[in-house]
Amino acid sequence: MTRIILIGAGRGGRALVELFHQDPSVEIVGVADKDEGAPGIVLARELGLPVAANYRKFLKADAADLIIDVTGDPDVGREVYRLRPQGTEVVGGKTARFISEFAGNKNPADSLQDQYQLALRELEARAEGEFIIGNNLKMKEISGLISKVAPTPTTVLIRGESGTGKELVARAIHRNSARSNHPLVTLNCTALSPALLESELFGYRRGAFTGAYNDSKGLFEKAHGGTMFLDEIGDMSLETQAKFLRTLQTGEIRAVGDMQTRKVSVRIVAATNRNLEVAIREGTFREDLFYRINTFSITLPPLRERIEDIPFLAEYFLLRARAKVNKKVDSIAPEALALLKNYSWPGNLRELENIIERAVVLTSSSVVDAEHLPLHVQDVVSFKPQMGFMPSKAHAIEKFEREALANYLLKAEGNISRAAALAKMPRRTFHRLLAKHKISSRSSPGYGETKKPQ
């Protein structure tokens, strides 16, 4: 059974209380709102559920598996993350508000099962993060573009370097569209061969090819009524591009091995990190398809062009990392933050997120310091004349060891045996180095948390 705490009990909060209370697999262990007359509080009292004006009352050890914070207050969000019991997950910000608003706006005639499944689908997507605007003027402009294009049926092309958050923009467009109560289906066009991509998009019929033992629906049919996000559309083969263009023009699909067509209603959001204009000149991308998908274009700036957002983004990723790693790390030291702001970020948001998570694993205190950042971010294998040759060498080796160990451990998801194999060293040696640098693995009581002596 999943135990849930609801923080914020307005109209959407009341809908969530009603929704979860009727599910036997869910236990609501607390509903909190500073307004004692809030709709969710009133209903919770009627149902005999625990209520409070102060949410801190419910933040006890092992009290809940999941906290849903729908207040929209960033101060509340930060405190909930800080005070949450070990092992408790938190859903907040835009994701939680979407869930509450969705549940509150549903027609009462709609089935409870449909409401619950859609809410669960959004909960499952919470780990993928949220579109963060920040203070950058370009990002604020993009936020305005999203709000204007989302309610329309217009096809959107999202452009930008790898790791800039193109899928997050696609999710924001879908969440704010009229299709938000239908599926958002995502596909990376790079991940599949042309033949597999075609059958994945359009489906196939039994006997269409070796191994096709049964009929299979394609993603277009699965996304009917909703949105399809095609990532790296620039890598789609010319043959598949032609079939995709026909579907865009007619709204019809034909499964592989089928003679009949079917009508679908799907909104397309595509993304690419390629220069499609160059690809057209080189003959690898169809010009007619380009003009079809480029109806409304959004270009995301690389992280190096939104340096003013790095403190905010770093704090956001710190909150996510400490929840994932299950380790109490409260802040990033000013020196470390300065290094982050001076780095060029070729990997953009994805690289920043990974570096913050690595730093959370490395630190043995509640603060991420400069020494916990990778050497290429520190921009030094630092030689300090005043230290002398041998101490400087030892210092550089120590930094290299810490970074390498953390990297192997992250790739192995905390499994020491697998990390040692990746490092091509005996497990015992790897474990000794972890102890030397005070780095802990994903083990009881938690990944990244040092075991207490018995």
Side-chain angles (χ1 to χ4, degrees):
M1 177 174 287
T2 302
R3 298 164 298 168
I4 292 177
I5 295 172
L6 296 175
I7 303 176
R11 185 166 64 91
R14 178 188 171 94
L16 289 176
V17 170
E18 185 175 4
L19 191 65
F20 290 124
H21 181 67
Q22 296 183 53
D23 191 310
S25 67
V26 175
E27 178 188 0
I28 301 175
V29 298
V31 181
D33 197 295
K34 60 184 179 183
D35 178 6
E36 294 184 0
I41 293 290
V42 172
L43 176 60
R45 285 200 190 98
E46 293 173 359
L47 297 173
L49 300 173
V51 299
N54 190 333
Y55 58 83
R56 298 175 190 85
K57 173 183 176 181
F58 298 123
L59 302 184
K60 302 174 182 176
D62 299 323
D65 303 301
L66 177 66
I67 299 171
I68 302 179
D69 168 26
V70 296
T71 63
D73 185 332
D75 292 332
V76 171
R78 280 190 287 269
E79 185 170 29
V80 169
Y81 266 108
R82 183 170 59 84
L83 298 178
R84 69 178 180 83
Q86 179 182 314
T88 301
E89 295 188 36
V90 179
V91 178
K94 294 178 182 177
T95 298
R97 290 201 298 277
F98 167 83
I99 296 168
S100 65
E101 289 167 8
F102 168 76
N105 290 332
K106 284 295 287 181
N107 187 319
D110 290 347
S111 73
L112 176 66
Q113 183 65 19
D114 286 346
Q115 293 183 44
Y116 188 56
Q117 288 302 320
L118 286 164
L120 280 182
R121 185 158 60 237
E122 185 61 24
L123 280 171
E124 288 168 358
R126 67 188 181 272
E128 299 193 25
E130 298 169 348
F131 175 59
I132 303 173
I133 300 169
N135 297 314
N136 180 268
L137 291 177
K138 177 66 175 175
M139 294 303 294
K140 289 181 179 179
E141 178 188 337
I142 288 171
S143 177
L145 293 175
I146 291 172
S147 65
K148 289 178 181 177
V149 76
T152 74
T154 302
T155 299
V156 180
L157 177 63
I158 306 169
R159 310 182 76 162
E161 296 177 8
S162 293
T164 49
K166 295 188 288 293
E167 183 171 346
L168 301 183
V169 173
R171 290 187 175 278
I173 290 171
H174 176 71
R175 278 199 300 267
N176 292 283
S177 74
R179 297 172 177 261
S180 59
N181 58 340
H182 291 281
L184 169 66
V185 176
T186 66
L187 177 67
N188 188 323
C189 299
T190 306
L192 301 173
S193 68
L196 284 176
L197 181 58
E198 181 181 350
S199 61
E200 190 76 8
L201 284 173
F202 304 107
Y204 56 84
R205 293 293 167 258
R206 179 181 177 181
F209 50 82
T210 303
Y213 301 116
N214 298 292
D215 291 352
S216 177
K217 284 185 177 181
L219 294 182
F220 270 111
E221 284 189 84
K222 293 177 182 178
H224 180 64
T227 305
M228 182 182 292
F229 173 58
L230 294 171
D231 198 7
E232 303 306 345
I233 194 171
D235 295 334
M236 186 181 284
S237 71
L238 285 170
E239 183 181 357
T240 308
Q241 286 177 38
K243 295 179 179 180
F244 177 56
L245 175 61
R246 183 180 180 281
T247 297
L248 285 180
Q249 292 171 333
T250 65
E252 295 178 345
I253 60 168
R254 177 181 293 170
V256 178
D258 198 353
M259 299 302 293
Q260 295 183 335
T261 61
R262 288 174 171 77
K263 279 279 188 181
V264 291
S265 174
V266 177
R267 190 215 190 138
I268 298 296
V269 178
T272 184
N273 62 7
R274 293 184 62 191
N275 186 323
L276 294 184
E277 290 84 355
V278 172
I280 290 169
R281 290 196 296 271
E282 293 174 348
T284 58
F285 199 83
R286 294 178 62 106
E287 187 174 13
D288 48 2
L289 177 56
F290 172 74
Y291 290 119
R292 191 81 188 188
I293 64 173
N294 197 39
T295 308
F296 193 97
S297 181
I298 295 175
T299 302
L300 293 178
L303 185 54
R304 62 183 173 275
E305 293 180 9
R306 50 184 300 207
I307 297 300
E308 65 270 37
D309 288 342
I310 284 181
F312 178 76
L313 291 164
E315 181 183 2
Y316 173 78
F317 289 135
L318 178 67
L319 291 173
R320 290 188 62 187
R322 78 181 203 179
K324 178 180 178 181
V325 174
N326 196 15
K327 187 175 183 181
K328 184 176 171 57
V329 181
D330 297 325
S331 61
I332 300 173
E335 183 184 359
L337 205 53
L339 289 171
L340 294 176
K341 292 173 74 173
N342 287 330
Y343 182 56
S344 60
W345 297 109
N348 294 296
L349 294 174
R350 191 178 296 126
E351 184 181 12
L352 175 60
E353 182 175 15
N354 290 339
I355 282 174
I356 294 297
E357 183 177 337
R358 180 189 290 118
V360 169
V361 171
L362 282 173
T363 183
S364 56
S365 70
S366 62
V367 179
V368 169
D369 289 311
E371 65 182 286
H372 304 129
L373 302 178
L375 297 179
H376 64 275
V377 175
Q378 296 183 45
D379 198 27
V380 285
V381 180
S382 68
F383 166 62
K384 298 179 180 178
Q386 65 273 22
M387 289 179 63
F389 178 81
M390 293 307 293
S392 288
K393 178 182 176 182
H395 184 64
I397 291 172
E398 182 179 357
K399 283 191 171 185
F400 167 77
E401 285 184 354
R402 287 176 63 83
E403 181 182 356
L405 290 168
N407 192 34
Y408 286 126
L409 201 57
L410 283 169
K411 286 182 178 177
E413 297 182 341
N415 185 299
I416 295 179
S417 296
R418 207 176 332 144
L422 289 172
K424 296 180 172 58
M425 68 170 65
R427 185 186 188 281
R428 189 171 182 178
T429 303
F430 193 90
H431 197 279
R432 178 177 56 77
L433 287 171
L434 290 179
K436 170 187 171 184
H437 293 286
K438 298 180 180 178
I439 302 171
S440 65
S441 66
R442 188 192 294 268
S443 57
S444 178
Y447 176 34
E449 181 180 74
T450 305
K451 288 186 177 181
K452 296 179 181 178
Q454 301 296 317

